[in-house]
Amino acid sequence: MNLAYRDIRHNLGRFLLTCVGLGLLLGVVLAMIGIYRGLVVDALTIARAPAVDLWVVEANTRGPFAEASRIPGDIREAIARIAGVSAAGSITYQTVETEHMGDKLRLYVIGYEPTRPGGPPEIIAGRGIARSHYEMIADQSTGLTLGGRIHLGRNMFTVVGLTRYQTNSGGDPAIYITLPDAQKLQFDLAPPAARVQLARGSGSASRDTVNAVVARLHPNASSDAVAETVHRWKHLTAITQEAQELILTRSLVDRARRQIGLFTSLLLTVSAVIIALIIYTMTMEKLKQIATLKLIGAPDRTIIGMIVQQALALGFIGFAIGATLIVNIKDYFPRRVVLEPDNVLVLGLIVFAVCLVSSGLGVRAALRVEPATALGG
Amino acid sequence: MAAAATNHPLVQLHRISKHFGEGETRVDALRDVSLAVYPGQVVAFLGPSGSGKTTLLNIIGCILDPSSGSMELDGERVIEDGRWLRSDLKSLRLDKIGFIFQFHNLIPFLDATDNVALVLQLAGADATTARARAVELLDYLEVGHRRGAMPAKLSGGEAQRVAIARALANRPRIILADEPTAALDSKRAGIVMDLLRKVAVERQAAIIAVTHDEKIFDRFDRIFGLRDGRLETYIDQDQRIPVA
């Protein structure tokens, strides 16, 4: 006779309500873990999108994501000719705010050369950019659709392709346009400002400036060796893909990452305390029954089994509810929530361990109760 | 009324004492209590609060250590010079003693049958056998028609009869009852006492109750009076003579 099951069945509504409460709490913990992972993944997504080995940026900067970097656009030709480099492309990054369907829309604009590295990693609908001007590929999270038109700067762009999961570390969805369009967007002044510049005699400076040149290497080429070659040009710095990812995770999103990490730890601690309290309270409510069981001769293992099984059932059902909830609503979060199976598994193991330890408190209380407590009123 | 005390006693206490605390805080709950209860007898411990009734019941029920004295249960010496001779008291209780409580203490999440079957399963019976025996006991105590009811749905008298069935499940020959009729009205109290007598006679068991319930005094074969931890008087209902 399984006493834990019988007790749960007898108080099913209350038990399930407790499980739902715990599930919501564990769902929040899972969501925080997902947000934490999403932050890191978002930070790395744009850097990984071009699938390159080397980033060439302005000397003494850690650009183009962590710091501003500006280098001449024609550097790409020089980089492409270095031994070991198979392809190179110029690239620009900027954030713009525009309007779409009456709502403000923040976009991370990536300018690239369509025949060279730097474009979107995949196109899930439509096609790539085929014309030199006013076409764009948009991340689907922008809400833009194929054929949609949107103002960027002084020009109207048409969405010809859609990609996905392309956001910057701030969560702004990315769009891809041609490098000349991006440079124009970045450097062309509005007419009044341009007139002022002309009046001051500044004229129109060359706008062939990019934020970085990305390079793919031949399979046997050493990225360190190519970087060393680039370093000989004193006005450039070369950063390997691995170093770029480190900059992003250790520098750009480090504070946010640690903030969410700490909050997640606190939330996990609170959850552990609440689980312990629930299980302890569940046991304390049954002390008279436990005393009766002891008095009629129930061995300790029967009583321990009942408490531990209920604690584990509570943890398992609560965790299942929380995980199901978050898996089903994670796509509705404004920022990306990434739930890796290993994260879910680790949290599951933590909940399992917390339930076991918490049931230990209940077991301790149960084993200390005197059978004589069952006698009398 | 009482079965003749021709057999060996089922419960025999010899100079059992129990004190709590030491020095100035010492309280003597029981002092040199000796008594014997025989098969078929229904006896009561009577006395004011603090007289030692519950302490005595707890020692006989193997849930409290005496300070000195010896005790035999069902022919087995279990306490010698204030020390238990068996280490597994739970098993001892399971084998030899059935308990009936003031408020029935049925497990609220088990139905009447399972409350009785639980004790049998704890003693090693398989589920089918345990349930069959439980149903048999419930029928014997005339509460078989409520076998599937949860304790909360049973009346006070029905719950107490289920509790008696549970106490009888392992066929113990010693039944300890703590105020078994305190929560019942006169009619139901009478029915419960009749059942206990039936059990005592038919199963040759010893029923020992702690009670304050005057309306059932005449249902006991013997009443032991306790005061300040001493066994002062007992009344033998057959002889109707208070014995000092």
Side-chain angles (χ1 to χ4, degrees):
Chain A
M1 191 181 301
N2 188 315
L3 295 179
Y5 168 69
R6 294 299 185 89
D7 187 23
I8 289 171
R9 198 177 66 174
H10 181 62
N11 296 299
L12 190 61
R14 187 177 162 197
F15 182 79
L16 286 180
L17 203 60
T18 309
C19 287
V20 168
L22 183 62
L24 291 174
L25 188 64
L26 292 174
V28 173
V29 177
L30 267 175
M32 289 308 294
I33 292 172
I35 291 168
Y36 174 92
R37 295 285 306 164
L39 194 72
V40 175
V41 170
D42 275 353
L44 295 175
T45 297
I46 295 292
R48 285 177 177 169
V52 295
D53 303 300
L54 209 62
W55 294 74
V56 178
V57 296
E58 187 179 341
N60 303 317
T61 70
R62 305 206 303 162
F65 305 108
E67 290 183 272
S69 157
R70 283 182 164 199
I71 55 174
D74 56 10
I75 290 292
R76 189 247 304 149
E77 294 297 330
I79 300 297
R81 283 196 293 273
I82 295 174
V85 174
S86 66
S90 295
I91 202 160
T92 64
Y93 297 101
Q94 61 187 307
T95 303
V96 299
E97 193 164 290
T98 183
E99 281 198 355
H100 175 59
M101 314 262 292
D103 288 328
K104 280 188 179 171
L105 183 62
R106 278 181 67 80
L107 298 169
Y108 191 59
V109 181
I110 301 170
Y112 76 108
E113 298 171 283
T115 55
R116 297 198 164 88
E122 63 172 336
I123 292 173
I124 57 168
R127 58 171 173 80
I129 291 174
R131 296 168 61 184
S132 23
H133 289 294
Y134 312 131
E135 286 189 346
M136 71 156 73
I137 295 164
D139 185 84
Q140 61 179 4
S141 66
T142 56
L144 298 170
T145 52
L146 283 180
R149 291 164 67 79
I150 190 167
H151 262 292
L152 289 178
R154 283 183 286 155
N155 299 300
M156 182 70 81
F157 285 74
T158 304
V159 180
V160 296
L162 291 176
T163 184
R164 61 181 170 185
Y165 305 139
Q166 299 303 300
T167 56
N168 71 356
S169 60
D172 299 325
I175 60 166
Y176 290 81
I177 60 178
T178 61
L179 185 64
D181 282 348
Q183 286 170 324
K184 197 173 175 191
L185 181 66
Q186 194 164 12
F187 301 119
D188 271 10
L189 295 171
R195 281 196 293 275
V196 170
Q197 285 295 90
L198 275 173
R200 292 171 66 182
S202 301
S204 56
S206 165
R207 66 179 184 208
D208 187 17
T209 302
V210 298
N211 298 123
V213 170
V214 290
R216 278 189 201 132
L217 306 185
H218 288 298
N220 296 326
S222 158
S223 55
D224 288 335
V226 176
E228 191 57 40
T229 306
V230 174
H231 278 303
R232 288 186 197 141
W233 291 311
K234 300 297 180 194
H235 62 298
L236 298 175
T237 291
I239 301 169
T240 61
Q241 177 67 23
E242 192 182 13
Q244 185 66 268
E245 289 184 12
L246 267 181
I247 290 170
L248 283 161
T249 52
R250 296 284 164 82
S251 173
L252 195 63
V253 294
D254 185 55
R255 277 179 196 277
R257 197 171 59 96
R258 281 192 290 156
Q259 177 103 342
I260 294 174
L262 186 61
F263 188 68
T264 306
S265 307
L266 277 174
L267 212 50
L268 205 55
T269 309
V270 170
S271 305
V273 171
I274 289 175
I275 290 172
L277 273 175
I278 290 172
I279 293 168
Y280 187 70
T281 309
M282 275 166 60
T283 309
M284 294 307 282
E285 284 174 352
K286 284 198 283 284
L287 278 190
K288 182 105 179 177
Q289 295 157 33
I290 289 168
T292 303
L293 284 170
K294 289 172 105 170
L295 191 60
I296 62 177
D300 287 347
R301 67 172 181 279
T302 303
I303 292 157
I304 294 169
M306 179 173 73
I307 296 168
V308 172
Q309 284 169 32
Q310 285 191 345
L312 292 180
L314 179 75
F316 179 78
I317 296 172
F319 181 75
I321 290 172
T324 307
L325 178 75
I326 293 307
V327 165
N328 283 292
I329 66 167
K330 72 183 172 70
D331 293 334
Y332 297 99
F333 278 70
R335 287 205 58 170
R336 198 158 154 198
V337 176
V338 177
L339 278 179
E340 302 284 354
D342 60 333
N343 297 140
V344 179
L345 186 68
V346 166
L347 182 65
L349 289 175
I350 289 172
V351 170
F352 176 76
V354 166
C355 286
L356 267 187
V357 172
S358 306
S359 65
L361 292 173
V363 165
R364 187 165 167 265
L367 293 184
R368 288 172 76 173
V369 69
E370 289 294 331
T373 316
L375 296 170
Chain B
M1 182 176 265
T6 51
N7 302 327
H8 291 292
L10 282 174
V11 178
Q12 185 158 32
L13 274 59
H14 181 66
R15 305 195 67 175
I16 287 285
S17 294
K18 174 68 183 176
H19 64 261
F20 298 99
E22 289 295 341
E24 290 183 0
T25 61
R26 176 176 168 131
V27 176
D28 286 300
L30 288 176
R31 304 174 202 224
D32 290 334
V33 172
S34 298
L35 58 85
V37 184
Y38 290 86
Q41 284 190 330
V42 181
V43 307
F45 294 150
L46 186 66
S49 265
S51 59
K53 315 182 291 292
T54 304
T55 305
L56 187 55
L57 197 74
N58 286 349
I59 290 173
I60 298 171
C62 306
I63 49 179
L64 187 66
D65 303 337
S67 302
S68 63
S70 60
M71 178 168 80
E72 279 182 26
L73 296 179
D74 199 7
E76 178 184 349
R77 180 156 292 228
V78 292
I79 298 174
E80 182 75 62
D81 294 332
R83 294 186 179 186
W84 294 101
L85 299 179
R86 280 176 62 162
S87 57
D88 188 1
L89 297 181
K90 281 183 182 172
S91 163
L92 183 64
R93 289 198 293 269
L94 196 57
D95 293 342
K96 293 189 184 296
I97 305 168
F99 289 91
I100 300 168
F101 305 92
Q102 182 175 349
F103 294 103
H104 64 73
N105 285 28
L106 295 175
I107 305 297
F109 50 84
L110 299 179
D111 64 22
T113 307
D114 283 337
N115 257 288
V116 180
L118 172 66
V119 182
L120 291 155
Q121 286 191 254
L122 288 173
D126 63 79
T128 312
T129 310
R131 282 186 68 84
R133 165 109 177 107
V135 169
E136 182 188 311
L137 273 169
L138 292 171
D139 287 339
Y140 173 68
L141 292 168
E142 296 163 16
V143 73
H145 62 291
R146 303 288 279 149
R147 67 183 65 159
M150 301 303 282
K153 303 285 183 190
L154 296 170
S155 69
E158 287 171 340
Q160 199 61 302
R161 273 185 276 173
V162 174
I164 293 170
R166 179 177 66 182
L168 298 177
N170 276 337
R171 296 185 173 85
R173 296 193 66 203
I174 302 160
I175 311 285
L176 304 182
D178 180 31
E179 302 272 11
T181 57
L184 306 175
D185 57 35
S186 301
K187 186 182 168 192
R188 288 191 174 83
I191 292 169
V192 166
M193 287 311 298
D194 285 345
L195 278 173
L196 290 178
R197 163 133 335 265
K198 179 180 168 186
V199 168
V201 173
E202 291 182 7
R203 291 162 190 258
Q204 282 299 288
I207 314 274
I208 302 173
V210 164
T211 187
H212 287 100
D213 195 351
E214 290 180 11
K215 59 185 179 287
I216 58 166
F217 282 175
D218 61 346
R219 306 292 187 115
F220 293 102
D221 299 320
R222 301 164 78 194
I223 298 173
F224 293 96
L226 284 146
R227 182 175 293 277
D228 296 330
R230 291 184 197 281
L231 194 60
E232 287 200 331
T233 59
Y234 80 83
I235 299 168
D236 189 318
Q237 302 277 27
D238 284 343
Q239 297 171 28
R240 301 279 171 187
I241 298 169
V243 182

